[in-house]
Amino acid sequence: DSGVTQTPKHLITATGQRVTLRCSPRSGDLSVYWYQQSLDQGLQFLIQYYNGEERAKGNILERFSAQQFPDLHSELNLSSLELGDSALYFCASSVSPTGQDTQYFGPGTRLTVL
Amino acid sequence: AQTVTQSQPEMSVQEAETVTLSCTYDTSESDYYLFWYKQPPSRQMILVIRQEAYKQQNATENRFSVNFQKAAKSFSLKISDSQLGDAAMYFCAYRSAEYGNKLVFGAGTILRVKS
């Protein structure tokens, strides 16, 4: 158990819908990272938040957004869902904002878009 | 942009034997970190081992060790005394020391362990 929690574990929804994925980092970690793992694109970095502020952006679609709240939990919002958004979404956390330490991953949320 | 290549889509090893998984990377940076993550059927991403590029000594964690060749940009993982629980997908990952916000992953290698 990494100490990073993600809810829900599984999510099934229809095209065009909007969903919210939630992540709670390890105790003491201020950075939260979101990754997408899909069959065709592998594991890709989406976005990082540090202490409530966006820190780095990767291959995140405009239909996707994220935020980190004062209690440091983070939410990834996916809207206007398409079939291709079906993937495993991971959250990871670490202490520092600059990546000098190790990222620990949560168990992931499996999103299926029908 | 940095890239990570794992040229072995799948590997097999007999229980108690040794197996080596290959990884190469491309970067123009001199300071960075390299990782091996394990993803078992549960899909959880588990850190196996970490190597700092400025360290010449190869990292070791119990039965797991790496062969880090900086000039060749190679970072292989050796698993000794393989166990059934080692069966998983293994990902090699790169992280910049200067812009270390994201992990760049390879495509992964499926490791099968035969009893």
Side-chain angles (χ1 to χ4, degrees):
Chain A
D1 185 357
S2 66
V4 180
T5 61
Q6 289 187 249
T7 56
K9 286 185 76 172
H10 303 278
L11 202 47
I12 301 174
T13 188
T15 54
Q17 295 299 304
R18 172 189 170 94
V19 297
T20 297
L21 313 183
R22 182 188 169 106
C23 167
S24 292
R26 295 187 318 160
S27 177
D29 284 359
L30 298 176
S31 271
V32 170
Y33 309 78
W34 286 97
Y35 290 86
Q36 179 195 58
Q37 184 177 26
S38 63
L39 282 174
D40 55 342
Q41 301 209 36
L43 266 160
Q44 288 198 99
F45 168 73
L46 296 178
I47 197 164
Q48 178 206 1
Y49 276 80
Y50 175 76
N51 205 20
E53 300 289 327
E54 183 183 303
R55 183 79 182 185
K57 222 166 185 176
N59 299 325
I60 188 166
L61 299 172
E62 284 191 14
R63 300 183 285 109
F64 296 1
S65 65
Q67 54 184 325
Q68 187 179 26
F69 295 86
D71 68 352
L72 300 177
H73 92 270
S74 177
E75 293 181 357
L76 179 67
N77 300 297
L78 315 177
S79 61
S80 303
L81 285 167
E82 302 175 359
L83 296 177
D85 298 327
S86 295
L88 188 54
Y89 290 85
F90 284 107
C91 164
S93 75
S94 72
V95 174
S96 87
T98 58
Q100 304 305 313
D101 56 343
T102 297
Q103 293 181 20
Y104 292 92
F105 283 74
T109 293
R110 164 78 66 188
L111 173 66
T112 302
V113 182
L114 301 175
Chain B
Q2 297 85 14
T3 58
V4 177
T5 302
Q6 293 179 250
S7 58
Q8 306 153 317
E10 193 170 324
M11 293 282 285
S12 290
V13 63
Q14 201 69 33
E15 207 175 355
E17 297 294 309
T18 296
V19 65
T20 299
L21 308 184
S22 301
C23 172
T24 58
Y25 57 93
D26 187 26
T27 184
S28 58
E29 298 177 329
S30 59
D31 197 12
Y32 48 87
Y33 303 88
L34 296 165
F35 304 84
W36 280 97
Y37 280 89
K38 169 185 176 181
Q39 188 177 41
S42 67
R43 309 296 273 176
Q44 173 82 50
M45 293 289 286
I46 302 165
L47 177 68
V48 175
I49 202 164
R50 162 188 166 126
Q51 174 80 43
E52 289 84 356
Y54 64 85
K55 289 186 178 178
Q56 291 188 336
Q57 188 171 5
N58 289 325
T60 298
E61 287 289 342
N62 300 315
R63 298 181 294 106
F64 298 86
S65 62
V66 298
N67 183 6
F68 173 47
Q69 302 287 331
K70 191 172 184 179
K73 296 180 182 174
S74 169
F75 182 61
S76 60
L77 174 70
K78 186 172 85 170
I79 306 174
S80 304
D81 185 25
S82 296
Q83 301 174 359
L84 294 176
D86 295 333
M89 175 81 94
Y90 286 81
F91 291 96
C92 177
Y94 172 101
R95 191 170 186 185
S96 167
E98 184 174 0
Y99 306 103
N101 307 91
K102 68 176 183 180
L103 288 164
V104 178
F105 287 92
T109 296
I110 298 171
L111 178 65
R112 304 192 192 280
V113 181
K114 301 175 187 175
S115 59

